[in-house]
Amino acid sequence: MTRNPNLPLTETTFYILLVLTNPAHGYAIIQEVDRLSNGLVKIAAGTMYGAIENLLKLNWIEEIPSEDKRRRVYKITPTGKEILKLETDRLKGLLKLTSDFGY
């Protein structure tokens, strides 16, 4: 079995994809990542918007219509969901392996 060349994901990318399983705008993504990581992962605005551009190019997220003209709203695509699942499965495999070794 070969691994997807896009894996492993960076921690930032993993969190962004996870958050975008529900539509959100950039600042909301930053806040939710901070909350989900208990403050351990901080995403600066520049990093966020660079990541969004990359994820759009990869077709892992897409912009969706928003009633708020000042904010662009994004959600994960089916391709993004598949990548998130592959990464989650990879991480589960690592956890099982460490558990098998008594850790």
Side-chain angles (χ1 to χ4, degrees):
M1 181 167 132
T2 60
R3 180 170 25 186
N4 184 298
N6 294 300
L7 300 180
L9 297 179
T10 66
E11 195 170 27
T12 298
T13 299
F14 180 84
Y15 273 107
I16 292 170
L17 290 176
L18 185 62
V19 168
L20 288 178
T21 57
N22 294 306
H25 57 81
Y27 185 65
I29 298 167
I30 290 171
Q31 290 179 311
E32 187 65 2
V33 168
D34 184 62
R35 186 187 73 76
L36 290 173
S37 70
N38 294 315
L40 296 175
V41 177
K42 303 281 188 192
I43 303 176
T47 301
M48 170 56 60
Y49 294 106
I52 285 174
E53 287 304 313
N54 289 335
L55 294 172
L56 286 167
K57 287 177 188 174
L58 289 167
N59 192 35
W60 294 0
I61 66 169
E62 64 186 353
E63 186 175 350
I64 60 172
S66 170
E67 293 180 15
D68 186 346
K69 303 297 181 210
R70 299 174 301 143
R71 295 189 168 141
R72 298 171 86 174
V73 176
Y74 305 94
K75 72 172 187 171
I76 195 169
T77 63
T79 302
K81 286 179 183 178
E82 180 61 25
I83 291 294
L84 185 59
K85 181 181 181 336
L86 289 171
E87 179 68 347
T88 301
D89 290 346
R90 186 187 75 80
L91 293 169
K92 285 178 183 176
L94 289 174
L95 285 172
K96 182 181 181 325
L97 181 62
T98 57
S99 177
D100 292 349
F101 276 82
Y103 289 95

